[in-house]
Amino acid sequence: MMINRPARPRALISLVPMIDVMLILLVFFMVTSTYLNLDMIPAVKPSKGAAGNIQAPAGTLMIRLGADGVPVMRGTALDGESLRAVLASAVAEEPLTQVVILPSGAAQTQALITVMDSAALADVTRLRVLRLEAAQ
């Protein structure tokens, strides 16, 4: 008498591990990549006849954010309302004014967000936050 065993089913090839690895790689490359400064790429090519009408980039305002969370511009400490007024007047004069915020390493994140919010309420469209690192 012979006992027949049922044949073992073939193992199906699963794509789930490969998808997991691809997602991990995607997240890795997204996190480690650098972003381009999109201001370097001209959005509109000037026409040949409009060479004299090219608008040069405007000036830059620098705001230093100290460890105490008080924004300082041109050596003057400003509160939220006066900062907004100064930024609004600068943007009214020149709409392409760039605002650069240099936060201290000891400054709280809320102070940085408050300065960024003041800039947004003053209609600043070119806002940068720079982090300075010590030379090694």
Side-chain angles (χ1 to χ4, degrees):
M1 178 161 178
M2 194 115 173
I3 300 176
N4 292 331
R5 268 190 209 181
R8 288 198 300 210
R10 287 186 148 188
L12 297 175
I13 297 175
S14 176
L15 294 177
V16 173
M18 185 184 73
I19 293 171
D20 290 344
V21 170
M22 294 303 292
L23 285 174
I24 290 171
L25 287 174
L26 175 68
V27 170
F28 173 77
F29 287 122
M30 285 174 57
V31 170
T32 59
S33 66
T34 57
Y35 297 102
L36 292 176
N37 180 1
L38 295 180
D39 292 337
M40 296 185 311
I41 303 170
V44 177
K45 271 190 172 177
S47 62
K48 291 181 184 176
N53 297 336
I54 298 175
Q55 201 172 22
T60 302
L61 294 176
M62 186 181 309
I63 301 171
R64 295 183 71 73
L65 190 61
D68 55 356
V70 176
V72 177
M73 184 170 20
R74 298 180 184 141
T76 306
L78 302 171
D79 63 346
E81 288 299 319
S82 58
L83 175 65
R84 186 178 309 143
V86 168
L87 292 177
S89 67
V91 169
E93 281 181 27
E94 182 58 54
L96 294 178
T97 300
Q98 179 175 350
V99 176
V100 177
I101 303 173
L102 296 166
S104 167
Q108 292 186 353
T109 306
Q110 183 59 49
L112 175 63
I113 298 299
T114 303
V115 171
M116 291 173 66
D117 190 40
S118 295
L121 291 173
D123 294 330
V124 172
T125 57
R126 299 178 68 200
L127 179 67
R128 309 254 170 138
V129 178
L130 296 180
R131 188 181 90 185
L132 301 177
E133 295 182 10
Q136 295 179 359

